[in-house]
Amino acid sequence: MTSNTLTPGIIAGRLPADQLSENFSDLHPPLDDHEALVAADRCYFCHDAPCATACPTDIDIPLFIRQIATGTPDAAAKTILSQNIMGGMCARVCPTETLCEQVCVRETAEGKPVEIGNLQRYATDTLMAAGVHPFERAAATGKTIAVVGAGPAGLSCAHRLAMKGHAVTIFDARPKAGGLNEYGIASYKSVGGFAAKEVEWLLQIGGITVENGKSLGAGLVLDRLKADFDAVFLAIGLAGVNALNVDGEAKDGVLDAVDFISDLRQAGDVASVEIGRDVVVIGGGMTAVDAAVQAKLLGALNVSLVYRRGRDRMNASPFEQDLAASKGVRIITNASPKAVIGNGAVREIEFEYTDDDLKPTGQTFRLAADQVFKAIGQTLGGDGLPDTEGGKIAVTGAGRTSLSGVWAGGDCASGGEDLTVTAVAEGRDAAEDIHAQLMG
C-alpha cells in the first residue's frame, strides 16, 4: 500500500516528491532588482530611526536601504556586514516582525512596514553571489584565541578577531560549522545549503582554522585551552534538553524536537525523513513551531502544539504562531503533560489544563500520538565551566566570565535573548573586548 497522510505509524514518504519540494521551498522568496528598488523607496530614511535602535546588532538600516535605493547594493551589504557579519542568515531567520519592522514608522502609520529583512537579504545575497569579501585582515599580532563552538556567536567572534590580525582556532563538536544555523533552523527558512555557504564566505577573511569533532569534555579541557591560547571564547550553546518528567517519557516515539529539526536539515532528501500520522509537539518557542510546521509539511495528518501557558506568553512570535496555524497546526494552550501512554511505544499523551499561574485545574484530556516532540528548553552542559547564573554562564560587560582570559556569548551565556542576531552581536562585542585586553 502506498504511504499517505492516513497511514498509521511513523513512516517516510507520506507526500509525493513534488508536494514536498513545494512545501520546503523558500518561506520568503528573494526580491528581484525591481522589487528591491520599490521596497526601498517606501523607507522614510528617518533621523534617529526606531528600526536601527531596535536592531540588536545596531545596523544603520536607513543608510543601507538608501544605498539599495541608489543602486549600490554592494555598499549596502558592507554597511550591514560591518555590524553583523552573518547578516545573510539573520535576514532569513531574524524575527524582524518583533524587532526592526515592528517599530517601523510605516508599520505604525499603515500597518505595513518597510521590508527590512527582505532588503537586507537582497543586499547580502548580491555581495555573496559576486564572491566578494569586503574585509581584510590587519597585520598579524602574534596573539592566538580559541573559540569553542562554531555557531553564530563563535563565528562572529572569530571573524572580528581575525580582522584585527589575531590567529583564531574554532573547535566544534559537529562535523560541520554553523551551529544553530546549520542544524537548528527550519529547512524552509534557509534553503539551498545557505548556512554552509555563509560559513565558507565568512572564512575568506583568513586567519581562522576550524577543527571539528572537538568539544569540552571530548578532546578539549578549558584549563589546557587557557594555557595554550592568549584568550578563550566559549560559544558552546545549550546541548542538553529538558525532560518532561512524566510517566512513560522513555517510550518509543518520544523525541527531542531539536534532533528532529537537525535530522531534517541534514537529510539529503526530505522524503526520507520519517514522520508520524498523529504528532504532538510540547513547547511554545521557535523550536516548537519549527518542529510542528515541518511535521505538517512532511505529511502528518494531525499536528498539535501544546503549551502550558496562554498564547500571549509563548516565546514564538505572533507571526510564527500564525504561520503554524496557517499550515494546519492546532495550537492548544494552558495545558501541561501528565503521562505518555502506550505499550512500549507512545499511542496517546495525557494533558491537564492549567490556569495562568500554572495551577492544575483537575481537568484532563488525551491526544492520539504516535510521535511526540519535546521542545521545552535546553540546558547547559560541560565540566569545569566558569560560574553560572540561571543555568547559563554568568557574564559581565562584553562577555567576561568569572575566569580570567575566558569570555562567553550566545545561548550559553546569561543576559541576552536566544536569537541568532543576539548571538552575533555578543560574539562581535566580545571580540572587541578581547582585542582591547590583549593589545593593552
Side-chain angles (χ1 to χ4, degrees), residues 198-333:
E198 186 175 49
V199 171
E200 182 181 1
W201 174 86
L202 180 149
L203 294 177
Q204 289 178 18
I205 187 66
I208 302 173
T209 301
V210 180
E211 295 190 17
N212 298 103
K214 294 183 179 180
S215 62
L216 292 179
L220 298 179
V221 178
L222 186 54
D223 285 344
R224 185 74 253 170
L225 291 175
K226 288 178 61 182
D228 292 345
F229 293 86
D230 295 301
V232 178
F233 179 69
L234 300 177
I236 57 178
L238 300 172
V241 177
N242 288 324
L244 295 176
N245 293 319
V246 299
D247 291 340
E249 183 176 358
K251 293 185 185 300
D252 292 343
V254 180
L255 308 167
D256 295 336
V258 291
D259 291 339
F260 166 62
I261 293 170
S262 175
D263 290 345
L264 186 52
R265 287 276 299 172
Q266 299 305 307
D269 179 7
V270 294
S272 67
V273 178
E274 296 183 335
I275 196 68
R277 182 182 68 178
D278 301 299
V279 176
V280 176
V281 180
I282 302 173
M286 297 293 191
T287 299
V289 169
D290 283 355
V293 169
Q294 293 188 114
K296 195 67 180 175
L297 296 180
L298 283 171
L301 179 64
N302 301 302
V303 179
S304 300
L305 187 155
V306 187
Y307 180 55
R308 60 180 180 161
R309 303 182 190 273
R311 284 187 69 154
D312 60 322
R313 301 286 295 277
M314 290 176 68
N315 286 332
S317 69
F319 171 84
E320 294 286 339
Q321 295 178 42
D322 291 344
L323 174 66
S326 74
K327 300 300 182 182
V329 175
R330 179 189 180 193
I331 299 177
I332 302 171
T333 57

Side-chain angles (χ1 to χ4, degrees), residues 96-109:
T96 54
E97 67 276 357
T98 61
L99 294 171
C100 54
E101 292 179 9
Q102 184 180 55
V103 298
C104 175
V105 174
R106 286 281 195 179
E107 168 67 19
T108 304

Side-chain angles (χ1 to χ4, degrees), residues 154-167:
L155 289 167
S156 173
C157 182
H159 185 275
R160 185 58 62 103
L161 288 168
M163 282 180 60
K164 303 287 187 182
H166 307 304

Side-chain angles (χ1 to χ4, degrees), residues 238 380 386-394 410-418:
L238 300 172
L380 180 69
D387 292 345
T388 60
E389 175 186 1
K392 295 188 175 186
I393 298 173
D411 291 353
C412 71
S414 62
E417 296 182 89
D418 293 341

Side-chain angles (χ1 to χ4, degrees), residues 370-406:
D370 42 33
Q371 206 167 31
V372 175
F373 293 125
K374 299 181 292 181
I376 54 175
Q378 295 173 267
T379 57
L380 180 69
D383 298 323
L385 296 175
D387 292 345
T388 60
E389 175 186 1
K392 295 188 175 186
I393 298 173
V395 296
T396 57
R400 298 188 188 188
T401 73
S402 60
L403 298 178
S404 176
V406 179

